Amino acid sequence: MTTYQLEVIENTAKKDKPAQDQIPFGQTFTDHMYIMEYQTDKGWHEPKIVPYGPISLDPAAMIFHYGQTVFEGMKAYHTEDGRVLLFRPEKNFERLNLSSERLSIPPIDEDLALEHLKQLIKLEKDWVPKTPGTSLYIRPYIISTDANLAVGPSSTYKYMVILSPVGSYFPGGLQPVVIHVEDKFTRAVKGGTGMAKTAGNYSSGYQAQANAKKEGNADVLWLDGVEKRYIEEVGSMNIFFKIDGEVFTPELNGSILKGITRMSIIELLNSWGIPVTEKRMAIDELYEAYQAGKVEEVFGTGTAAVISPVGELNWQGQKMIINNHEIGELSQKLYDTITGIQTGKVEDTLDWTVEIN
Ligand SMILES: *Cc1c(COP(=O)(O)O)cnc(C)c1O
């Protein structure tokens, strides 16, 4: 392995920390950030921790024009006994490289990225909030930086990590959400970029989300782009169903994002002796099961909320009310167990957490 000397330039002008009970998502950043450069002849080099602040880019930088960029989302949690834990961070770096491969971005060294992330968080330990439900959101990302309008992969990149303390997703406890089943717009198709965490996948969903919000929905459930029949996922969450006592989730087909929470829920349920069937799921078949009174629980899964119970699905003017708009027993148990593991309250028997020390 190439050796990289991490340079640390400490910020002497530290900011005030926000009040922990009401931190809006993604608007407050810590005192430092991480940057590493890529150049074709040098590979990834010059890793640095520097004071948080604006960066300078050429107006022709490729990221502004053709969107060659990838990102990750993960969290650090404070335990009651004062430790700071990451949740399966190696899976995020593995996925970052998968996304990069799809976007023709050179891979980073996953072990090095984790090691440097730990050093960054160690320096920012006081920024990891302690109030129950809060955490430090971690945003690693890569941008293409060549000043060049020719369509094609950049020869220079920046890999960066910024950190943002975040409040509880559900300050008043788990709240079931209303979701619109989208049958006009498409998020992703097989062979496209749906399995990558890349910028354009998100901005292309805004129109559908805005329309859904006007009608009182919190988000949209995407269907497959070809037949508009098979269930894919919600805005930034995978989706699970408990139908007639069995747990189902759409199978990964190349257009669905491979969620680490999704993977963890499948593994956790398996460890409890509850099988999860990953398969192609048609929305009309879900509706039939609903009419037969068999749909017991629906929940979204992702780093932001961990579990987001779905209380209502709106599909072509038909309403599916799930579990009387109440949180299902399994949803609650999964939420309590995973957040318990993340914050050190529940024993980490599956060896998922990584301590910062
Ligand atoms: C990030 C993301 C998810 C959830 O992934 P986690 O690793 O569980 O946070 C699901 N769908 C999309 C589209 C996402 O961007």
Side-chain angles (χ1 to χ4, degrees), residues 71-73 92 95 187 194 196-197 201-202 233-238 256-263 301-304:
F71 71 93
E72 267 304 323
N92 291 90
R95 187 171 64 190
R187 184 190 99 94
K197 262 183 136 67
N201 287 349
Y202 302 85
E233 59 179 314
V234 186
S236 53
M237 286 191 285
N238 296 110
I256 295 175
L257 202 285
K258 189 179 168 187
I260 294 159
T261 318
R262 175 189 184 277
M263 179 193 306
T301 70
T303 297

